[in-house]
Structure formats: C-alpha cells, structure tokens
Amino acid sequence: MNEKKIKFYQIELTSRCDATCSYCPHGTMSRKKKDITPDIFEQAIKLLDRENLWTNFGMPIVELHSFGEGLLMKEKLFYYLDRMKEEEIPWSLSSNGILLSQNPQMDKKLLSYDGVLEISIENTNRLVSLDEKVNRINSFLKLHEEVNSKLIIYLIVFDHDFDFSRIYGSNYRRSYYGKHTWGENDEGGSNCDFLTKDYFIVQSNGNIASCCFDATGETSYGDVFNPIYTTNESWRKCKSCKGNEMC
C-alpha cells in the first residue's frame, strides 16, 4: 500500500552551527545538536510529496537546512547530495560562508553538484570578520568560475547598502532579506505557507515540525517513522512571528 505523502519544505541535515546569525533562533535550541542519520533521511525522502515541492528562487526545491551549517558535516554531506541526485530531487543548501575556501577538496566536490547554494553575507562569527568572510567567498567564486560549475549561487544580504563591488565576478545571484510579519492578522488569516499550504520540516532528529522558526521542535507532528497526518495549525508564536522575507 502506498504511504501517504507529506509536503516537506526542509530536511535538516544538521542542527550544528558555528555562527550566530541575527535572523536565526539557533541559540534558543534545546534539542540535541546533531547530524541527520541515513535512516531518517531515507524515510523523509520516502514520505516526501514530490508533486508539491516548495517553490523558492523561482523553482521547486527541497531545502537541506533549517538551523544548521551543512559544511560542518564535511564528507558526510556528500552522501546526502548524492542521494538527492540519484532521486532527481532539486535541492538548496544554506551556508554562512565561514568554511568556504578552507578545504580545496571540499570546495571542488561541492562545486561538482547541480543545485543551489545560499551564502549569507553577514558578520556572524567573532573569530571570522566580515572582510575575511568576503575573501573566502571570493575565492570560492573564482573556483566556481574556473571549474565552470553548474551550482547556482545566491548571495543573501541583510544590509541593503552592501557594496557588491567587493564580490568577485558576476556569476551569482543576489537576494535581499528584510523584516516582515507572517503572524496571523485580526481575521485569523496568514501569509505563511506553512499554515496556508501545509508545509512541514524534518528536523535532524527525525521530528516533523510545522514552523521554520521552531528551533526546539515544539510544533511536533510525530516523526518520520510515526508521522501525524493532519493539516498545519498555528502555535503560540504565530501571532508575533517576525520572519525574514526575500525580495
């Protein structure tokens, strides 16, 4: 018998992170910070509703992040990217950029994939300055050009006055984030796709959550082995949600 499918917006490969981004509630996370395991990942892929993928960057996609930095997984990351390729599922991966250009073999391997890499340009680590991060991003972009990579790169900025003349070349796309409110309005309506279109997240421990700002897994709808099939409902933070909108 065919298993019922779930619209997963994100499959979180890891909840470990080495940054403190202004928009991310990672610091409030009480669940164990860990990498996903192959059995959880495979079950998430089995449950994934491939006919109703999330649309981001103008394309249907599954985001392989939520509250973690995928590059911290090192070689383990590529097992999951290989599986996405085998299953022909389009994907994106978010990075804070700190680990770019620190391991040439990792960089070349990452650039061999056909997916989307989102790189945040923000000073998010006290040990790595913004200038140094820009240098690392530029080195990565130069290699991207040299190997003629098909990896689509989006540079995510929060400072709309950021000087892009600091960035090497032009083989990337820009995305600007700004504050907005997805919280429920007075009539009980919402602009949140999680609420209005019933999207969910697989967290690295297998928990199914219903909100991209639920770092702890409070909005649990079971897990990938025992999912609760239902429509998404608002939770205590919906009315005051301060999300980040890409424009």
Side-chain angles (χ1 to χ4, degrees):
M1 186 173 70
N2 291 331
E3 222 165 350
K4 186 176 179 181
K5 303 301 182 182
I6 301 175
K7 291 190 286 187
F8 290 137
Y9 156 47
Q10 294 175 328
I11 299 175
E12 181 186 67
L13 295 186
T14 184
S15 55
R16 297 184 295 127
C17 194
D18 55 355
T20 54
C21 298
S22 63
Y23 57 89
C24 180
H26 185 273
T28 68
M29 185 185 298
S30 59
R31 59 188 169 98
K32 185 178 180 180
K33 298 175 179 61
K34 57 174 291 186
D35 298 342
I36 200 170
T37 55
D39 60 330
I40 291 174
F41 179 84
E42 296 297 339
Q43 183 63 14
I45 294 301
K46 184 178 179 181
L47 292 175
L48 175 67
D49 184 351
R50 303 190 190 196
E51 301 299 318
N52 292 284
L53 297 181
W54 178 277
T55 299
N56 201 3
F57 306 112
M59 65 188 81
I61 213 161
V62 175
E63 296 194 344
L64 298 179
H65 54 264
S66 187
F67 295 105
E69 171 58 49
L71 297 185
L72 285 171
M73 301 175 72
K74 299 182 179 179
E75 291 295 330
K76 287 197 298 181
L77 170 65
F78 302 128
Y79 167 82
Y80 299 106
L81 297 188
D82 286 339
R83 287 293 295 122
M84 296 295 281
K85 182 178 181 179
E86 293 166 357
E87 294 290 332
E88 298 182 342
I89 303 172
W91 56 268
S92 70
L93 180 71
S94 178
S95 174
N96 56 47
I98 293 171
L99 293 177
L100 293 176
S101 305
Q102 301 305 291
N103 184 325
Q105 295 306 313
M106 280 280 293
D107 288 346
K108 289 179 181 178
K109 181 68 174 176
L110 182 58
L111 287 169
S112 71
Y113 291 95
D114 186 357
V116 176
L117 179 65
E118 309 167 42
I119 306 173
S120 171
I121 301 180
E122 187 181 22
N123 193 3
T124 58
N125 184 304
R126 62 184 179 83
L127 300 179
V128 180
S129 68
L130 180 58
D131 286 342
E132 174 58 25
K133 181 191 281 193
V134 168
N135 288 338
R136 295 180 184 186
I137 291 172
N138 283 339
S139 295
F140 186 76
L141 288 172
K142 289 177 183 177
L143 183 60
H144 180 278
E145 181 179 83
E146 290 171 6
V147 301
N148 195 26
S149 173
K150 294 182 179 179
L151 185 70
I152 298 171
I153 296 179
Y154 274 87
L155 299 183
I156 313 296
V157 296
F158 298 84
D159 177 3
H160 289 209
D161 295 323
F162 179 80
D163 181 7
F164 272 93
S165 68
R166 300 173 64 186
I167 301 298
Y168 174 82
S170 59
N171 197 16
Y172 60 86
R173 306 177 188 182
R174 306 179 188 182
S175 292
Y176 296 91
Y177 274 72
K179 291 292 182 181
H180 80 302
T181 300
W182 271 2
E184 294 175 342
N185 57 38
D186 293 338
E187 290 74 37
S190 172
N191 295 319
C192 175
D193 279 356
F194 287 88
L195 289 177
T196 61
K197 299 180 181 179
D198 293 324
Y199 281 97
F200 295 86
I201 294 168
V202 177
Q203 297 179 326
S204 60
N205 58 6
N207 180 61
I208 297 174
S210 66
C211 176
C212 61
F213 279 86
D214 180 12
T216 65
E218 183 177 335
T219 61
S220 178
Y221 284 72
D223 59 47
V224 293
F225 300 105
N226 296 284
I228 298 173
Y229 295 104
T230 184
T231 56
N232 203 333
E233 299 178 357
S234 61
W235 67 306
R236 62 183 179 83
K237 291 188 176 181
C238 284
K239 291 185 179 296
S240 60
C241 175
K242 299 292 184 182
N244 290 278
E245 181 175 47
M246 185 167 56
C247 55

